[in-house]
Amino acid sequence: MKTTNLITVLEVTGSALAIIYALLIASNTGNEIVGFTLLLISAALFAGWGFLDKRWAFFSLQFFYAASAIIGLVRWA
């Protein structure tokens, strides 16, 4: 797979998971574990995108999103 195609897959998948995460958390329907798991996966996908595309500030930001996902998982578990 070409790098540009991989970047697109990481970007689109990460964005879709982040949207679902936000909706699950905002809905307050008891799906927090699923939501924070999706946030963690989204952060990993976005980190891959940031790394491949050499977007270092965006890449670094994903560590904070991953940390907030882990905090959410621990808090809601």
Side-chain angles (χ1 to χ4, degrees):
M1 181 180 283
K2 294 167 70 173
T3 302
T4 54
N5 291 343
L6 181 56
I7 288 171
T8 300
V9 168
L10 294 172
E11 177 185 7
V12 170
T13 307
S15 296
L17 292 179
I19 290 167
I20 296 167
Y21 144 77
L23 291 172
L24 286 173
I25 297 302
S27 69
N28 196 24
T29 55
N31 293 304
E32 287 81 6
I33 296 295
V34 174
F36 285 116
T37 300
L38 293 178
L39 175 60
L40 187 58
I41 295 167
S42 174
L45 293 170
F46 281 152
W49 168 28
F51 180 80
L52 290 174
D53 213 18
K54 296 178 178 47
R55 296 178 183 268
W56 304 120
F58 187 71
F59 174 76
S60 301
L61 178 63
Q62 301 318 305
F63 289 97
F64 293 99
Y65 286 138
S68 70
I70 292 168
I71 290 168
L73 286 168
V74 169
R75 183 176 183 277
W76 289 96

